Amino acid sequence: MNMPVPPERLKERIAYIVNHHGTQHRPRLEEVTITWRGSFGYLIAWDGFLPGMNEQIKLCRIEYLGDDEEWGFAIYDPATETYVPSQLTTGRDTGHPTEAFDTAAIIHLADYTA
């Protein structure tokens, strides 16, 4: 089965929205980036809090399902270095990429000041 791939313009818009949302809600973060592979986007937080340090923190994977507002979600598990399908804090399996960031931030950025 062929999975839909988000158009470049949508990828750019989602990357901007997630970065803006993430850095507003977690001011310690330098930025939030998304690396794209097919229908999947991999969210990475960059901690730029300490001068000269730029730690990369894998957060989650979003999956384009053909709808600009409803995306699949899988949380990054550092123990197995895999992405595990999960529910968002809303209790749903799908949602907006900012909801994916918020859910992953609770787990992976718990020590970061909001």
Side-chain angles (χ1 to χ4, degrees), residues 2-100:
N2 287 338
M3 297 302 297
V5 176
E8 199 60 38
R9 185 171 171 196
L10 178 59
K11 290 180 191 178
E12 291 170 4
R13 185 170 65 93
I14 293 298
Y16 172 80
I17 290 169
V18 170
N19 180 53
H20 180 75
H21 177 83
T23 56
Q24 292 297 306
H25 288 84
R26 302 287 175 156
R28 181 172 164 173
L29 295 180
E30 183 175 315
E31 69 178 325
V32 179
T33 60
I34 303 177
T35 302
W36 298 96
R37 280 187 224 115
S39 61
F40 296 109
Y42 299 85
L43 278 65
I44 299 169
W46 296 88
D47 176 7
F49 185 69
L50 298 173
M53 300 287 288
N54 201 0
E55 181 184 0
Q56 174 182 322
I57 304 159
K58 294 180 181 180
L59 299 175
C60 63
R61 180 185 72 203
I62 56 176
E63 180 181 3
Y64 182 62
L65 303 172
D67 181 325
D68 293 3
E69 300 297 318
E70 290 292 318
W71 297 66
F73 172 69
I75 193 80
Y76 179 70
D77 179 2
T80 61
E81 296 183 356
T82 60
Y83 293 87
V84 181
S86 305
Q87 288 187 332
L88 299 164
T89 56
T90 61
R92 298 178 58 225
D93 297 330
T94 63
H96 193 271
T98 55
E99 294 172 324

Side-chain angles (χ1 to χ4, degrees), residues 26 73 75-76 78 102-111:
R26 302 287 175 156
F73 172 69
I75 193 80
Y76 179 70
D102 291 341
T103 301
I106 290 169
I107 296 165
H108 294 296
L109 304 177
D111 295 339

